[in-house]
Amino acid sequence: MTGEWPLYEVFVRGKRGLNHVHVGSLRAADDDMALHNARDLYTRRNEGVSIWVVKAADIAASSPDEKDPFFAPSGDKVYRHPTFYDIPENVPHM
Amino acid sequence: MTATEPAPSEADSERHFERYFEDVIARDQRIEPRDWLPEAYRKTMIRQIAQHAHSEIIGMQPEGNWITRAPSLRRKAILLAKVQDEAGHGLYLYSAAETLGGDRDDLTEKLISGRQKYSSIFNYPTLSFADVGVIGWLVDGAAICNQVPLCRSSYGPYARAMIRICKEESFHQRQGYELLMTMMTGTEAQREMVQDAVNRYWWPSLMMFGPPDDDSPNTAQSMAWKIKRHTNDELRQRFVDMTVPQAEALGVTLPDPDLSWNADRGHYDFGAIDWDELKQVISGGGPCNTERVERRRAAHEDGAWVREAAAAHARKQQQRKEVAA
Ligand SMILES: [Fe+2]
Ligand SMILES: [Fe+2]
Protein backbone atom coordinates (compact mmCIF):
# COMPACT_ATOMS: atom_id res chain seq x y z
CA MET A 1 0.00 0.00 0.00
CA THR A 2 1.34 3.45 -0.87
CA GLY A 3 -0.79 4.57 2.06
CA GLU A 4 2.19 3.58 4.19
CA TRP A 5 4.42 5.70 2.00
CA PRO A 6 4.35 9.33 3.09
CA LEU A 7 3.66 12.17 0.68
CA TYR A 8 6.75 14.22 -0.18
CA GLU A 9 6.79 17.69 -1.72
CA VAL A 10 9.52 18.20 -4.31
CA PHE A 11 11.54 21.37 -4.93
CA VAL A 12 13.96 21.69 -7.84
CA ARG A 13 16.73 24.22 -8.50
CA GLY A 14 16.56 24.66 -12.26
CA LYS A 15 20.10 25.90 -12.60
CA ARG A 16 22.80 27.54 -10.54
CA GLY A 17 21.78 31.02 -9.49
CA LEU A 18 18.07 30.21 -9.14
CA ASN A 19 16.02 29.32 -6.07
CA HIS A 20 14.52 25.90 -5.54
CA VAL A 21 10.95 25.92 -6.84
CA HIS A 22 8.10 23.63 -5.85
CA VAL A 23 7.28 21.28 -8.74
CA GLY A 24 4.84 18.75 -7.29
CA SER A 25 4.71 15.80 -4.96
CA LEU A 26 5.26 12.06 -4.89
CA ARG A 27 4.97 9.07 -2.60
CA ALA A 28 8.07 7.28 -1.30
CA ALA A 29 8.96 4.97 1.57
CA ASP A 30 11.85 7.13 2.78
CA ASP A 31 13.95 10.21 1.98
CA ASP A 32 16.37 8.31 -0.25
CA MET A 33 13.64 6.83 -2.37
CA ALA A 34 11.92 10.20 -2.51
CA LEU A 35 15.08 11.79 -3.94
CA HIS A 36 15.52 9.05 -6.54
CA ASN A 37 11.87 9.14 -7.54
CA ALA A 38 11.98 12.92 -7.73
CA ARG A 39 14.95 12.72 -10.08
CA ASP A 40 13.15 10.24 -12.33
CA LEU A 41 9.84 12.06 -12.21
CA TYR A 42 10.74 15.75 -12.32
CA THR A 43 14.16 15.97 -14.00
CA ARG A 44 14.06 13.59 -16.97
CA ARG A 45 15.26 16.41 -19.25
CA ASN A 46 17.90 18.20 -17.19
CA GLU A 47 15.30 20.38 -15.50
CA GLY A 48 17.38 20.53 -12.34
CA VAL A 49 20.79 20.63 -10.72
CA SER A 50 19.58 20.13 -7.15
CA ILE A 51 16.51 18.61 -5.52
CA TRP A 52 14.95 19.05 -2.09
CA VAL A 53 12.30 16.65 -0.84
CA VAL A 54 10.37 17.22 2.36
CA LYS A 55 7.55 15.27 3.92
CA ALA A 56 4.32 17.15 3.24
CA ALA A 57 3.29 16.56 6.86
CA ASP A 58 6.32 18.58 8.03
CA ILE A 59 5.37 21.73 6.12
CA ALA A 60 3.68 24.54 8.01
CA ALA A 61 1.68 26.73 5.65
CA SER A 62 -0.31 29.93 5.73
CA SER A 63 -3.78 29.88 4.26
CA PRO A 64 -3.62 30.65 0.54
CA ASP A 65 -6.63 32.95 0.78
CA GLU A 66 -5.43 36.34 -0.48
CA LYS A 67 -7.77 38.15 1.84
CA ASP A 68 -6.27 36.35 4.77
CA PRO A 69 -5.48 38.83 7.58
CA PHE A 70 -2.15 37.00 7.84
CA PHE A 71 -0.85 39.25 5.07
CA ALA A 72 -2.56 42.40 6.31
CA PRO A 73 0.52 43.78 8.12
CA SER A 74 2.26 44.47 4.81
CA GLY A 75 -0.84 45.88 3.12
CA ASP A 76 -0.71 49.42 4.58
CA LYS A 77 3.03 50.00 4.46
CA VAL A 78 3.38 51.73 1.14
CA TYR A 79 6.48 53.50 2.46
CA ARG A 80 8.35 50.21 2.02
CA HIS A 81 8.32 50.78 -1.73
CA PRO A 82 10.70 53.12 -3.57
CA THR A 83 7.84 54.71 -5.52
CA PHE A 84 6.48 56.16 -2.25
CA TYR A 85 9.14 58.89 -2.36
CA ASP A 86 9.06 61.93 -4.68
CA ILE A 87 12.52 62.87 -5.87
CA PRO A 88 12.99 65.86 -8.22
CA GLU A 89 13.70 64.96 -11.86
CA ASN A 90 17.04 66.77 -11.83
CA VAL A 91 18.53 64.46 -9.20
CA PRO A 92 20.50 61.84 -11.17
CA HIS A 93 21.03 58.09 -10.55
CA MET A 94 18.12 57.58 -8.15
CA MET B 1 -15.88 44.68 15.15
CA THR B 2 -17.80 46.07 18.11
CA ALA B 3 -19.14 43.96 20.93
CA THR B 4 -22.74 44.58 19.90
CA GLU B 5 -22.26 43.17 16.41
CA PRO B 6 -23.41 39.56 16.20
CA ALA B 7 -20.78 36.97 15.29
CA PRO B 8 -21.06 35.96 11.61
CA SER B 9 -23.08 32.79 11.20
CA GLU B 10 -21.65 29.75 9.46
CA ALA B 11 -23.93 30.41 6.48
CA ASP B 12 -22.58 33.96 6.25
CA SER B 13 -18.97 32.88 6.13
CA GLU B 14 -19.86 30.15 3.64
CA ARG B 15 -21.38 32.84 1.40
CA HIS B 16 -18.29 34.97 1.86
CA PHE B 17 -16.03 32.10 0.75
CA GLU B 18 -18.27 31.28 -2.17
CA ARG B 19 -18.16 34.88 -3.39
CA TYR B 20 -14.40 34.81 -3.07
CA PHE B 21 -14.20 31.55 -5.08
CA GLU B 22 -16.42 32.97 -7.83
CA ASP B 23 -14.40 36.16 -7.85
CA VAL B 24 -11.12 34.27 -8.36
CA ILE B 25 -12.67 32.39 -11.30
CA ALA B 26 -14.14 35.58 -12.78
CA ARG B 27 -10.78 37.33 -12.65
CA ASP B 28 -9.21 34.35 -14.41
CA GLN B 29 -6.95 33.62 -11.48
CA ARG B 30 -6.19 30.12 -10.21
CA ILE B 31 -7.82 28.20 -7.42
CA GLU B 32 -5.10 26.79 -5.17
CA PRO B 33 -4.96 23.89 -2.68
CA ARG B 34 -6.59 24.67 0.67
CA ASP B 35 -8.79 27.37 -0.88
CA TRP B 36 -12.43 26.99 -0.01
CA LEU B 37 -14.15 25.12 -2.87
CA PRO B 38 -17.72 24.21 -3.64
CA GLU B 39 -17.99 20.47 -3.02
CA ALA B 40 -19.18 19.88 -6.59
CA TYR B 41 -16.09 21.62 -8.00
CA ARG B 42 -13.84 19.46 -5.84
CA LYS B 43 -15.60 16.26 -6.89
CA THR B 44 -15.62 17.14 -10.58
CA MET B 45 -11.98 18.15 -10.48
CA ILE B 46 -10.83 14.99 -8.64
CA ARG B 47 -12.76 12.82 -11.09
CA GLN B 48 -11.42 14.64 -14.15
CA ILE B 49 -7.81 14.59 -12.91
CA ALA B 50 -8.07 10.94 -11.86
CA GLN B 51 -9.48 9.85 -15.21
CA HIS B 52 -6.78 11.80 -16.95
CA ALA B 53 -4.13 10.14 -14.74
CA HIS B 54 -5.61 6.69 -15.41
CA SER B 55 -5.47 7.39 -19.16
CA GLU B 56 -1.75 8.16 -18.99
CA ILE B 57 -1.08 5.01 -16.96
CA ILE B 58 -3.21 2.67 -19.11
CA GLY B 59 -1.80 4.48 -22.16
CA MET B 60 1.58 2.89 -21.49
CA GLN B 61 0.26 -0.54 -22.46
CA PRO B 62 -0.55 -0.32 -26.19
CA GLU B 63 2.88 1.09 -27.01
CA GLY B 64 4.72 -0.81 -24.29
CA ASN B 65 3.62 -3.85 -26.25
CA TRP B 66 6.25 -3.00 -28.89
CA ILE B 67 9.26 -2.08 -26.74
CA THR B 68 10.87 -5.52 -26.94
CA ARG B 69 10.19 -5.72 -30.68
CA ALA B 70 11.27 -2.23 -31.76
CA PRO B 71 13.12 -2.54 -35.08
CA SER B 72 16.30 -0.74 -33.95
CA LEU B 73 18.08 0.37 -30.80
CA ARG B 74 17.27 3.98 -31.71
CA ARG B 75 13.55 3.28 -31.94
CA LYS B 76 13.66 1.22 -28.75
CA ALA B 77 15.35 4.00 -26.77
CA ILE B 78 12.81 6.54 -28.08
CA LEU B 79 9.84 4.30 -27.31
CA LEU B 80 11.12 3.56 -23.81
CA ALA B 81 11.52 7.29 -23.14
CA LYS B 82 8.03 7.97 -24.46
CA VAL B 83 6.37 5.28 -22.36
CA GLN B 84 8.33 6.46 -19.32
CA ASP B 85 7.01 9.98 -19.95
CA GLU B 86 3.44 8.64 -19.91
CA ALA B 87 4.12 7.09 -16.49
CA GLY B 88 5.42 10.50 -15.42
CA HIS B 89 2.27 12.20 -16.70
CA GLY B 90 0.15 9.83 -14.67
CA LEU B 91 2.18 10.62 -11.55
CA TYR B 92 2.04 14.43 -12.04
CA LEU B 93 -1.72 14.07 -12.23
CA TYR B 94 -2.14 11.79 -9.21
CA SER B 95 -0.04 14.37 -7.38
CA ALA B 96 -2.50 17.10 -8.44
CA ALA B 97 -5.45 14.93 -7.36
CA GLU B 98 -3.88 14.54 -3.93
CA THR B 99 -3.92 18.31 -3.39
CA LEU B 100 -7.73 18.05 -3.47
CA GLY B 101 -7.82 15.22 -0.97
CA GLY B 102 -7.90 12.42 -3.54
CA ASP B 103 -6.03 9.36 -2.29
CA ARG B 104 -3.76 7.51 -4.71
CA ASP B 105 -4.56 4.05 -3.40
CA ASP B 106 -8.23 4.80 -3.59
CA LEU B 107 -7.94 6.10 -7.17
CA THR B 108 -5.96 3.04 -8.29
CA GLU B 109 -8.57 0.84 -6.64
CA LYS B 110 -11.30 2.68 -8.56
CA LEU B 111 -9.43 2.12 -11.82
CA ILE B 112 -8.83 -1.60 -11.40
CA SER B 113 -12.34 -2.22 -10.15
CA GLY B 114 -13.77 -0.42 -13.19
CA ARG B 115 -15.45 2.34 -11.17
CA GLN B 116 -13.43 5.09 -12.88
CA LYS B 117 -12.81 5.35 -16.59
CA TYR B 118 -9.89 6.24 -18.81
CA SER B 119 -9.64 7.39 -22.41
CA SER B 120 -11.46 5.10 -24.84
CA ILE B 121 -8.55 5.17 -27.31
CA PHE B 122 -6.38 2.81 -25.24
CA ASN B 123 -8.87 -0.02 -25.66
CA TYR B 124 -7.77 -0.59 -29.25
CA PRO B 125 -4.98 -3.07 -30.04
CA THR B 126 -1.55 -2.22 -31.50
CA LEU B 127 -1.17 -4.69 -34.36
CA SER B 128 2.02 -3.48 -36.06
CA PHE B 129 4.96 -1.19 -35.38
CA ALA B 130 3.30 1.45 -37.57
CA ASP B 131 0.71 1.74 -34.79
CA VAL B 132 3.43 3.20 -32.57
CA GLY B 133 3.96 5.97 -35.12
CA VAL B 134 0.26 6.58 -35.65
CA ILE B 135 -0.38 6.73 -31.91
CA GLY B 136 2.35 9.36 -31.55
CA TRP B 137 1.02 11.37 -34.46
CA LEU B 138 -2.77 11.10 -34.00
CA VAL B 139 -3.37 10.04 -30.40
CA ASP B 140 -0.74 12.27 -28.83
CA GLY B 141 -1.75 14.93 -31.38
CA ALA B 142 -5.35 14.77 -30.19
CA ALA B 143 -4.16 14.77 -26.59
CA ILE B 144 -2.19 17.97 -27.29
CA CYS B 145 -5.32 19.63 -28.74
CA ASN B 146 -7.21 18.70 -25.59
CA GLN B 147 -4.45 19.59 -23.17
CA VAL B 148 -3.12 22.91 -24.40
CA PRO B 149 -6.27 24.80 -23.28
CA LEU B 150 -6.13 22.90 -19.96
CA CYS B 151 -2.87 24.72 -19.18
CA ARG B 152 -5.25 27.60 -18.29
CA SER B 153 -7.61 25.44 -16.26
CA SER B 154 -8.89 27.21 -13.13
CA TYR B 155 -7.35 24.67 -10.77
CA GLY B 156 -3.70 25.67 -10.30
CA PRO B 157 -2.04 22.29 -9.66
CA TYR B 158 -3.88 20.75 -12.65
CA ALA B 159 -2.94 23.64 -14.94
CA ARG B 160 0.71 23.39 -13.89
CA ALA B 161 0.77 19.62 -14.46
CA MET B 162 -0.66 20.29 -17.93
CA ILE B 163 2.09 22.77 -18.79
CA ARG B 164 4.71 20.17 -17.89
CA ILE B 165 2.85 17.47 -19.84
CA CYS B 166 2.34 19.59 -22.96
CA LYS B 167 6.07 20.29 -23.20
CA GLU B 168 6.72 16.55 -23.29
CA GLU B 169 3.86 15.69 -25.65
CA SER B 170 5.53 17.60 -28.44
CA PHE B 171 8.35 15.03 -28.43
CA HIS B 172 5.75 12.26 -28.52
CA GLN B 173 4.00 13.61 -31.57
CA ARG B 174 7.16 14.41 -33.49
CA GLN B 175 8.81 11.03 -32.89
CA GLY B 176 5.62 9.36 -34.14
CA TYR B 177 5.43 11.45 -37.28
CA GLU B 178 9.13 10.97 -37.98
CA LEU B 179 8.71 7.20 -37.56
CA LEU B 180 5.89 7.25 -40.12
CA MET B 181 7.88 9.40 -42.55
CA THR B 182 10.67 6.84 -42.35
CA MET B 183 8.27 3.99 -43.08
CA MET B 184 6.67 5.89 -45.96
CA THR B 185 10.04 6.12 -47.69
CA GLY B 186 10.53 2.36 -47.21
CA THR B 187 8.97 -0.58 -49.05
CA GLU B 188 5.45 -0.89 -50.40
CA ALA B 189 4.65 -3.27 -47.53
CA GLN B 190 5.75 -0.62 -45.02
CA ARG B 191 3.59 2.03 -46.66
CA GLU B 192 0.64 -0.36 -46.47
CA MET B 193 1.30 -0.90 -42.76
CA VAL B 194 1.15 2.85 -42.20
CA GLN B 195 -2.07 3.26 -44.17
CA ASP B 196 -3.63 0.34 -42.33
CA ALA B 197 -2.73 1.85 -38.96
CA VAL B 198 -4.17 5.22 -40.03
CA ASN B 199 -7.38 3.49 -41.15
CA ARG B 200 -7.78 1.84 -37.76
CA TYR B 201 -6.84 4.82 -35.58
CA TRP B 202 -8.44 7.78 -37.38
CA TRP B 203 -12.00 7.43 -36.12
CA PRO B 204 -11.08 6.37 -32.57
CA SER B 205 -8.82 9.46 -32.44
CA LEU B 206 -11.78 11.71 -33.28
CA MET B 207 -13.76 10.00 -30.52
CA MET B 208 -11.08 10.99 -27.99
CA PHE B 209 -12.70 14.44 -27.79
CA GLY B 210 -15.78 12.88 -26.24
CA PRO B 211 -19.45 12.94 -27.19
CA PRO B 212 -20.85 15.72 -29.41
CA ASP B 213 -21.76 18.98 -27.69
CA ASP B 214 -25.50 18.32 -27.74
CA ASP B 215 -24.87 15.09 -25.84
CA SER B 216 -22.33 16.42 -23.33
CA PRO B 217 -24.36 17.49 -20.30
CA ASN B 218 -21.41 18.43 -18.06
CA THR B 219 -19.73 20.80 -20.50
CA ALA B 220 -21.67 23.94 -19.48
CA GLN B 221 -20.77 23.65 -15.78
CA SER B 222 -17.14 22.80 -16.57
CA MET B 223 -16.87 25.85 -18.82
CA ALA B 224 -18.49 28.10 -16.20
CA TRP B 225 -15.86 26.93 -13.71
CA LYS B 226 -13.16 27.37 -16.38
CA ILE B 227 -12.12 23.75 -15.87
CA LYS B 228 -12.75 23.38 -19.57
CA ARG B 229 -12.11 26.15 -22.09
CA HIS B 230 -13.57 24.78 -25.34
CA THR B 231 -16.34 22.35 -26.20
CA ASN B 232 -15.67 18.82 -27.47
CA ASP B 233 -16.76 19.69 -31.00
CA GLU B 234 -14.58 22.82 -31.16
CA LEU B 235 -11.51 20.83 -30.19
CA ARG B 236 -12.37 18.00 -32.57
CA GLN B 237 -12.67 20.48 -35.46
CA ARG B 238 -9.35 22.06 -34.53
CA PHE B 239 -7.72 18.61 -34.57
CA VAL B 240 -9.15 17.74 -38.00
CA ASP B 241 -8.00 21.08 -39.43
CA MET B 242 -4.49 20.57 -38.08
CA THR B 243 -4.21 16.95 -39.18
CA VAL B 244 -5.38 17.03 -42.81
CA PRO B 245 -2.31 18.86 -44.16
CA GLN B 246 -0.05 16.60 -42.07
CA ALA B 247 -1.67 13.54 -43.68
CA GLU B 248 -1.12 15.06 -47.11
CA ALA B 249 2.54 15.73 -46.37
CA LEU B 250 2.92 12.15 -45.16
CA GLY B 251 1.18 10.72 -48.22
CA VAL B 252 -1.58 8.79 -46.43
CA THR B 253 -5.33 8.93 -46.95
CA LEU B 254 -7.59 9.66 -44.00
CA PRO B 255 -10.40 7.07 -44.20
CA ASP B 256 -13.31 9.50 -44.61
CA PRO B 257 -14.88 10.05 -48.05
CA ASP B 258 -16.75 13.10 -46.70
CA LEU B 259 -13.61 14.91 -45.63
CA SER B 260 -13.35 18.13 -47.65
CA TRP B 261 -12.44 21.79 -47.27
CA ASN B 262 -15.40 24.07 -46.65
CA ALA B 263 -14.39 27.56 -47.76
CA ASP B 264 -17.51 29.16 -46.21
CA ARG B 265 -16.76 27.80 -42.75
CA GLY B 266 -13.00 28.00 -43.15
CA HIS B 267 -12.81 24.45 -41.79
CA TYR B 268 -12.72 20.90 -43.05
CA ASP B 269 -16.07 19.10 -43.11
CA PHE B 270 -15.90 15.50 -42.00
CA GLY B 271 -18.19 12.47 -41.93
CA ALA B 272 -20.45 11.19 -39.17
CA ILE B 273 -18.79 9.57 -36.18
CA ASP B 274 -20.09 6.22 -34.95
CA TRP B 275 -21.14 7.29 -31.46
CA ASP B 276 -22.48 3.82 -30.70
CA GLU B 277 -18.95 2.53 -31.00
CA LEU B 278 -17.71 5.15 -28.50
CA LYS B 279 -20.48 4.26 -26.07
CA GLN B 280 -19.66 0.60 -26.39
CA VAL B 281 -15.92 1.09 -25.86
CA ILE B 282 -16.43 3.45 -22.90
CA SER B 283 -18.80 1.04 -21.21
CA GLY B 284 -16.28 -1.80 -21.34
CA GLY B 285 -17.07 -3.41 -24.69
CA GLY B 286 -13.99 -2.33 -26.67
CA PRO B 287 -11.52 -4.84 -28.09
CA CYS B 288 -9.02 -4.58 -25.20
CA ASN B 289 -10.87 -3.19 -22.13
CA THR B 290 -10.62 -6.36 -20.07
CA GLU B 291 -6.99 -6.96 -21.00
CA ARG B 292 -5.93 -3.39 -20.12
CA VAL B 293 -7.57 -3.32 -16.70
CA GLU B 294 -6.41 -6.86 -15.86
CA ARG B 295 -2.83 -5.93 -16.78
CA ARG B 296 -3.00 -2.90 -14.51
CA ARG B 297 -4.45 -4.99 -11.69
CA ALA B 298 -1.74 -7.64 -12.08
CA ALA B 299 1.02 -5.00 -12.04
CA HIS B 300 -0.48 -3.46 -8.91
CA GLU B 301 -0.84 -6.79 -7.11
CA ASP B 302 2.53 -8.14 -8.23
CA GLY B 303 4.15 -4.98 -6.88
CA ALA B 304 2.55 -5.26 -3.45
CA TRP B 305 5.50 -7.09 -1.86
CA VAL B 306 7.92 -4.43 -3.13
CA ARG B 307 5.86 -1.63 -1.61
CA GLU B 308 5.58 -3.54 1.68
CA ALA B 309 9.30 -4.37 1.77
CA ALA B 310 10.25 -0.75 1.12
CA ALA B 311 7.96 0.42 3.91
CA ALA B 312 9.39 -2.20 6.30
CA HIS B 313 12.93 -1.17 5.39
CA ALA B 314 12.12 2.49 5.99
CA ARG B 315 10.64 1.64 9.41
CA LYS B 316 13.74 -0.35 10.37
CA GLN B 317 16.10 2.42 9.28
CA GLN B 318 14.08 4.90 11.30
CA GLN B 319 14.25 2.69 14.41
CA ARG B 320 18.00 2.30 14.02
CA LYS B 321 18.41 6.05 13.77
CA GLU B 322 16.35 6.52 16.92
CA VAL B 323 18.44 3.97 18.86
CA ALA B 324 21.67 5.59 17.72
CA ALA B 325 20.46 9.05 18.67
FE1 LIG C 1 0.83 11.78 -21.86
FE1 LIG D 1 2.04 11.32 -24.87
Side-chain angles (χ1 to χ4, degrees), chain B residues 140-152:
Chain B
D140 288 275
I144 291 171
C145 260
N146 258 329
Q147 289 171 175
V148 166
L150 293 176
C151 295
R152 295 186 299 123

Side-chain angles (χ1 to χ4, degrees), chain B residues 56 86 89 140 165 169 172:
Chain B
E56 304 283 354
E86 304 301 3
H89 297 176
D140 288 275
I165 287 174
E169 291 296 355
H172 297 177

Side-chain angles (χ1 to χ4, degrees), chain B:
Chain B
M1 210 196 284
T2 65
T4 51
E5 227 175 282
S9 70
E10 217 162 280
D12 275 347
S13 66
E14 176 112 350
R15 263 196 300 279
H16 161 79
F17 284 130
E18 194 163 351
R19 253 200 314 272
Y20 183 66
F21 170 84
E22 279 161 7
D23 196 42
V24 169
I25 302 256
R27 280 181 291 143
D28 230 344
Q29 293 187 328
R30 300 288 176 265
I31 302 295
E32 293 294 348
R34 301 175 67 247
D35 275 344
W36 181 91
L37 307 169
E39 211 32 49
Y41 178 94
R42 180 189 304 278
K43 275 206 188 112
T44 303
M45 214 56 239
I46 291 181
R47 197 186 38 212
Q48 180 175 331
I49 296 174
Q51 292 187 357
H52 195 159
H54 299 333
S55 303
E56 304 283 354
I57 295 296
I58 295 286
M60 290 192 281
Q61 291 184 39
E63 291 178 284
N65 180 33
W66 283 93
I67 291 175
T68 56
R69 292 172 291 162
S72 69
L73 191 55
R74 179 177 184 271
R75 292 291 168 198
K76 184 185 268 198
I78 291 169
L79 187 52
L80 261 176
K82 199 228 174 205
V83 172
Q84 193 188 1
D85 273 356
E86 304 301 3
H89 297 176
L91 295 179
Y92 304 154
L93 288 161
Y94 286 129
S95 159
E98 285 203 294
T99 64
L100 287 161
D103 174 83
R104 273 182 221 221
D105 282 335
D106 176 53
L107 297 178
T108 300
E109 193 50 46
K110 283 187 172 131
L111 169 64
I112 61 184
S113 63
R115 276 176 298 149
Q116 273 181 345
K117 302 198 184 311
Y118 54 89
S119 176
S120 57
I121 192 75
F122 302 118
N123 292 314
Y124 291 87
T126 42
L127 304 180
S128 83
F129 196 71
D131 290 17
V132 171
V134 166
I135 287 176
W137 173 37
L138 295 180
V139 175
D140 288 275
I144 291 171
C145 260
N146 258 329
Q147 289 171 175
V148 166
L150 293 176
C151 295
R152 295 186 299 123
S153 164
S154 60
Y155 189 58
Y158 187 47
R160 292 192 286 276
M162 279 302 124
I163 291 172
R164 198 168 261 284
I165 287 174
C166 283
K167 278 187 196 155
E168 299 179 349
E169 291 296 355
S170 171
F171 145 60
H172 297 177
Q173 195 185 25
R174 289 172 68 109
Q175 65 81 33
Y177 195 80
E178 187 227 41
L179 187 165
L180 297 175
M181 285 197 314
T182 309
M183 287 186 81
M184 290 303 283
T185 55
T187 65
E188 193 48 43
Q190 285 178 306
R191 277 188 287 278
E192 273 165 24
M193 275 166 75
V194 174
Q195 184 60 57
D196 173 63
V198 171
N199 292 348
R200 284 180 289 109
Y201 272 94
W202 173 247
W203 292 105
S205 299
L206 295 189
M207 293 175 199
M208 282 176 70
F209 296 92
D213 292 349
D214 52 23
D215 189 25
S216 178
N218 300 324
T219 293
Q221 178 63 76
S222 289
M223 297 210 14
W225 277 333
K226 297 186 183 170
I227 290 173
K228 210 170 158 169
R229 297 286 185 157
H230 305 280
T231 70
N232 297 349
D233 287 333
E234 282 166 16
L235 293 167
R236 193 170 3 250
Q237 180 71 61
R238 187 178 295 182
F239 175 69
V240 171
D241 292 347
M242 278 169 37
T243 307
V244 172
Q246 294 168 353
E248 278 165 14
L250 192 60
V252 296
T253 309
L254 297 173
D256 179 1
D258 297 325
L259 190 66
S260 64
W261 178 251
N262 183 327
D264 293 339
R265 292 201 309 128
H267 293 290
Y268 284 93
D269 289 336
F270 53 95
I273 293 170
D274 181 356
W275 297 119
D276 289 341
E277 178 179 326
L278 177 62
K279 267 183 202 142
Q280 195 188 333
V281 175
I282 281 189
S283 53
C288 301
N289 295 58
T290 312
E291 183 187 331
R292 299 290 188 239
V293 173
E294 270 320 299
R295 182 79 201 84
R296 180 67 192 95
R297 171 191 293 281
H300 185 65
E301 286 171 0
D302 293 349
W305 72 270
V306 180
R307 294 191 294 278
E308 282 158 21
H313 175 74
R315 269 196 306 275
K316 223 180 224 173
Q317 292 295 107
Q318 190 57 36
Q319 280 162 7
R320 250 180 231 158
K321 235 190 253 170
E322 278 158 17
V323 170

